[in-house]
């Protein structure tokens, strides 16, 4: 033990201990050993392992005096008194005290102590509006409390804890003067949050002493701990903000906020006044909106006698004012959402007729997820979309707004009308997605707020270039871009190149994998945000392509993607299908392989005949390469016809292959007749194609804190074998699955030794495992009698699974039906169906 009176270490994370000594030692203990006892050579506990340094072997140990103090009360089933002055003290040596001007002899004469002590306690921080505010100041050196000499933390803690709700007399030294201050000791439990509100996916509680100390802020307001579903505007969810008022009514604490929101309907916008804890002078006024689908709103209350938390429904913002209601956006909506759209409509009449149509087809889209799915986490974003059919309510937007299939969408027309939307189709090959909304809701809201100008871009009609006419290299074009920050931009450009965009994920990434596609580049390269979208028009303002961001995985690029031009003909078949289909669109068919290009010279060596070489190089559309199979993605039986690595595809259904796009997507073709060269022999094969769903996930189950769903395509590509249709890849921190199963990226094959093949199998088994005493336990917790029931409701369950590599796993978890109850979300088969939450 190298130091017995060390000040509490600063971990730099915003959560630090204070007002206690720490013991420093050199040990080899690392993360995971916190809480273990430290024993001396005789086996006696002398400290608690609490932390360490990553840069050295230093280990920080918590002395036992506070632990013993609490333990003696708890063993008697009593609550240990805890007092606070909302003041942080630090220990300084006698030499340091002398530098502040304190003479040791004078300190003793004034009632202080130096003998047997290594220094004094000095005030390091006084919280505004706290008990010591106005009485003590930073730099005060404590001499005595209630006429008892104070030189160490245990002495001070004993007096403060014994004087809760009483006055204490504190003698301090500062600036050459000894003075005495009378200070009321506050109950520490009164500034320790004991109630948590889950509202619209946000977790709110009273400002805590710990956070107040970290920010040197007063203990006032409602702290935003986390927001997973987009209730709070995005820039205010970073664990640094406090709600100070709701609808202009001050909210000094959570109870006040709950009273204000008690009668607010689910679809009503709420005006929040928010402060950054590190910038308390400035306020931010924002609009909060309850998401369409979230976990039920609830309030969780901690029992002071047992420490357990009980839950109860919270009625505020839980009921809509009417079915399928729409709320309007007030003038005070966040500027980044409305200013861009307002400028779109303001500029429309100034920059041309097509620009008018483009501007009036541009909408703002807000997206937030319900839960993790398809390798997407709790996410929210906003961006720009284009109305393609206002009669049927069909929108087009970029794929970055659909990174999670459980996204809930809100479409904003003209900065006024807000309507919900659903993900109708996420293209499995190209980085675009289609949303659907109900046009009747727009018309209904227009009766309230007035008409808004809405046009649709007829990409298959008047506004479109012929699908057979791709934009050629050197062609002069105009790019119309809608963005969140700049409104509508009209930029002249030149088609600089046509090239193949490679796969957008690395081999180990589980994100959605976009296949190789022929795209075009522009000069100048028109910049736009990752969630924006633009159209590329020829000299007659006819749409020939989309200007959009091609996403990449985080291993390949820190920027998230790169800009590409996408021929409009590649995505129009989906639009045409959405116009006639009610159920999920299922028209994309692929050969389920990856191709690489090979030069004609290489193709000749690999067996492509000279006649084909001449036709390719000298035809009206000369080409310099062929396409060879480089990777098999799908699975075929041993007797099923399929492509092989090394095959060169010369034609599809009689049409020569000139571009990678001729191979990438075979819309609505169950069979494909291919002319190929295999092992230097030309032959014709007829192969079945593989259908790719536009929406993979329509059912997610959360059990014991772990999420289960149908495996998405990237999982099927990576897995050595597919033992079941149930896949789990993430879990809540601290949950049974997170704590007890070492591998979460797993196909689940059995729960409680019962086989699992589908999510419905899993739900049936989980329902049978449910502990019916959970509600009784919750009631006992609320009444402070949880210990009378014995164990937490739950049971030991054996879980079997198979990893992506094919390794079989088995483990056990102890379910926790009190803190981690099972639930599920489902979505129907129609493009217009919304997600629905239910308990299991």
């Amino acid at each position: 033990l190298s130091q017995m009176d060390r000040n509490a270490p600063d971990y730099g994370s915003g959560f630090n201990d204070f007002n206690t000594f720490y013991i420093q030692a050199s040990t080899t203990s690392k993360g995971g050993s916190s809480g273990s006892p430290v024993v001396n050579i005789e086996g006696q506990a002398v400290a608690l392992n609490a932390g360490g340094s990553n840069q050295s072997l230093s280990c920080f140990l918590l002395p036992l005096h506070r632990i013993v103090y609490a333990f003696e009360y708890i063993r008697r089933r009593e609550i240990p008194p805890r007092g606070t002055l909302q003041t942080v003290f630090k220990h300084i040596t006698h030499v340091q005290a002398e530098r502040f001007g304190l003479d040791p002899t004078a300190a003793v004469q004034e009632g202080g102590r130096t003998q047997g002590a290594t220094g004094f306690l000095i005030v390091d921080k006084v919280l505004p509006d706290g008990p010591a505010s106005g009485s003590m100041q930073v730099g005060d050196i404590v001499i005595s409390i209630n006429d008892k000499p104070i030189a160490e933390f245990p002495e001070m803690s004993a007096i403060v804890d014994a004087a809760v709700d009483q006055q204490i007399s504190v003698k301090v030294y500062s600036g050459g003067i000894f003075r005495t201050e009378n200070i009321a000791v506050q109950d520490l439990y009164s500034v320790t949050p004991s109630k948590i509100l889950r509202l619209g996916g946000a977790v709110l509680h009273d400002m805590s002493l710990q956070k107040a100390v970290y920010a040197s802020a007063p203990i006032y307001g409602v702290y935003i701990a986390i927001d997973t579903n987009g209730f709070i505007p995005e820039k205010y969810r970073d664990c640094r903000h406090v709600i100070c008022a709701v609808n202009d009514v001050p909210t000094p604490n959570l109870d006040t906020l709950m009273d204000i929101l008690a009668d607010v309907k689910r679809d009503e916008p709420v005006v929040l006044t928010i402060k950054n804890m590190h910038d308390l002078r400035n306020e931010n006024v924002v609009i909060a909106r309850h998401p369409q689908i979230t976990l039920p709103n609830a309030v969780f209350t901690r029992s002071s006698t047992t420490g357990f938390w009980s839950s109860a429904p919270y009625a505020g913002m839980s009921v809509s004012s009417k079915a399928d209601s729409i709320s309007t956006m007030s003038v005070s909506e966040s500027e980044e959402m409305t200013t861009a759209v307002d400028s779109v409509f303001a500029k429309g009449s100034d920059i041309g007729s097509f620009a008018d149509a483009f501007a009036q087809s541009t909408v703002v889209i807000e997206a937030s997820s319900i839960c993790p799915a398809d390798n997407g986490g709790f996410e929210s974003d906003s961006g720009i979309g284009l109305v393609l059919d206002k009669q049927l309510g069909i929108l087009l937007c970029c794929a970055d707004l659909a990174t999670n299939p459980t996204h809930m969408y809100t479409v904003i027309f003209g900065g006024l009308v807000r309507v919900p939307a659903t993900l109708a189709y996420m293209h499995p090959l190209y980085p675009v997605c289609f949303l659907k909304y109900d046009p009747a809701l727009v018309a209904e809201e227009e009766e309230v707020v007035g008409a808004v100008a809405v046009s649709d871009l007829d990409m298959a009609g008047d506004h479109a270039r012929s699908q057979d006419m791709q934009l050629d290299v050197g062609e002069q074009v105009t790019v119309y871009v809608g963005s969140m920050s700049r409104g509508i931009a009209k930029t002249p450009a030149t088609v600089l190149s046509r090239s193949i965009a490679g796969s957008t994920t690395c081999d180990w990434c589980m994100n959605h994998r976009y296949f190789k596609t022929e795209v075009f580049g522009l000069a100048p390269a028109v910049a736009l945000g990752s969630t924006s979208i633009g159209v590329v028009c020829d000299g007659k303002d006819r749409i020939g392509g989309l200007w959009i961001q091609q996403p990449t995985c985080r291993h390949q690029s820190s920027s998230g993607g790169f800009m590409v031009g996408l021929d409009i003909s590649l995505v129009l078949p989906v639009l045409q299908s959405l116009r006639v289909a009610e159920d999920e669109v299922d028209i994309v068919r692929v050969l389920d392989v990856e191709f690489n290009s090979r030069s004609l010279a290489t193709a000749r060596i690999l067996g492509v005949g000279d006649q084909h070489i001449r036709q390719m190089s000298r035809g009206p559309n000369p080409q310099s390469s062929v396409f060879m199979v480089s990777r098999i993605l799908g699975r075929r039986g041993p007797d099923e016809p399929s492509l092989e690595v090394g095959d060169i595809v010369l034609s599809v259904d009689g049409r020569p292959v000139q571009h990678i796009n001729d191979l990438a997507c075979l819309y609505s073709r169950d069979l494909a007749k291919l002319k190929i060269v295999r092992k230097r022999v030309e032959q014709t094969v007829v192969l079945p194609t593989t259908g790719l769903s536009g929406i993979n996930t329509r059912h997610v189950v959360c059990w014991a804190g772990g999420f289960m769903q149908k495996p998405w395509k990237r999982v099927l590509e990576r897995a050595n074998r597919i033992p079941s249709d149930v896949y789990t890849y993430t879990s809540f921190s601290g949950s049974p699955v997170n704590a007890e199963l070492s591998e979460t990226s797993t196909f689940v094959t059995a729960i409680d030794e019962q086989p699992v093949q589908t999510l419905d199998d899993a739900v049936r088994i989980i329902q049978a495992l449910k502990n019916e005493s959970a509600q009784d336990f919750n009631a006992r917790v609320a009444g402070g009698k949880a210990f009378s029931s014995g164990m937490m409701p739950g049971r030991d369950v054996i879980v079997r699974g198979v990893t992506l590599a094919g390794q079989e796993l088995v483990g056990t978890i102890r379910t926790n039906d009190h803190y981690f109850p099972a639930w599920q979300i489902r979505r129907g088969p129609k493009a217009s169906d919304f997600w629905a939450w239910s308990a299991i």
Side-chain angles (χ1 to χ4, degrees), residues 11 127 444 811:
Y11 296 112
L127 295 190
E444 179 183 333

Coordinates of all heavy atoms in Angstrom, one line a residue, residues 11 127 444 811:
Y11 N -11.6 9.7 -12.9 CA -11.7 8.7 -14.1 C -12.0 9.4 -15.4 O -11.9 8.8 -16.4 CB -12.7 7.6 -13.8 CG -12.4 6.8 -12.6 CD1 -13.1 6.8 -11.5 CD2 -11.2 5.9 -12.6 CE1 -12.8 6.0 -10.4 CE2 -10.9 5.1 -11.5 CZ -11.7 5.2 -10.4 OH -11.4 4.4 -9.3
L127 N -21.7 23.6 -4.6 CA -22.8 23.7 -5.6 C -23.7 24.9 -5.4 O -24.0 25.2 -4.3 CB -23.6 22.4 -5.6 CG -22.9 21.1 -5.9 CD1 -23.9 20.0 -6.1 CD2 -22.1 21.2 -7.2
E444 N -56.8 15.9 -44.5 CA -57.5 16.2 -43.2 C -56.8 17.3 -42.4 O -57.4 18.2 -41.9 CB -57.5 14.9 -42.4 CG -58.2 15.1 -41.0 CD -58.1 13.8 -40.2 OE1 -58.1 12.7 -40.8 OE2 -58.1 13.9 -38.9
G811 N -25.6 -22.8 -22.9 CA -25.4 -21.9 -21.7 C -26.7 -21.9 -20.9 O -27.8 -22.3 -21.3

